[in-house]
Amino acid sequence: MHIPVVPPVPLSDAVLVERIAALGDRAALAELDARHGMTLYAIAYALLLNPDAADVTVAAALREAWRRAASFDAREQTVGRWLAELTRKAAHDQVRRSVMSPGGLVPLLVLT
């Protein structure tokens, strides 16, 4: 007799954020990175036009998501939009830091 293997149902993005907030679930953060990382990188790269700076920006946004997971409210926005906002803010911060440091990243776009 063959018993079919049923793959697990993937958790929603909002549940992943809840797991980060409640359990400190690193696997949940890794899953969000796997799902949204390329989009976040595209946002960061479009703003900074620098691949290294885009990588640093995405890492900073994910660290901020880890810190702020408990304050995320799925009734107000999607996880993707929240992560995108964190990425844009991290890119702004990256430009601000680079403008203030000698020899830092020269922003190719003025961020508003």
Side-chain angles (χ1 to χ4, degrees), residues 8-76:
V9 176
L11 300 175
S12 72
D13 287 350
V15 169
L16 292 173
V17 174
E18 288 173 11
R19 290 181 61 86
I20 293 166
L23 306 171
D25 187 343
R26 292 183 185 276
L29 183 65
E31 180 63 25
L32 285 178
D33 184 20
R35 292 180 188 181
H36 298 279
M38 291 302 292
T39 300
L40 302 180
Y41 179 85
I43 291 167
Y45 185 82
L47 294 171
L48 301 169
L49 298 177
N50 179 306
D52 294 333
D55 281 335
V56 169
T57 297
V58 171
L62 290 172
R63 279 192 307 276
E64 190 64 16
W66 177 267
R67 284 192 282 270
R68 296 180 56 191
S71 67
F72 174 75
D73 187 348
R75 295 171 297 191
E76 293 181 14

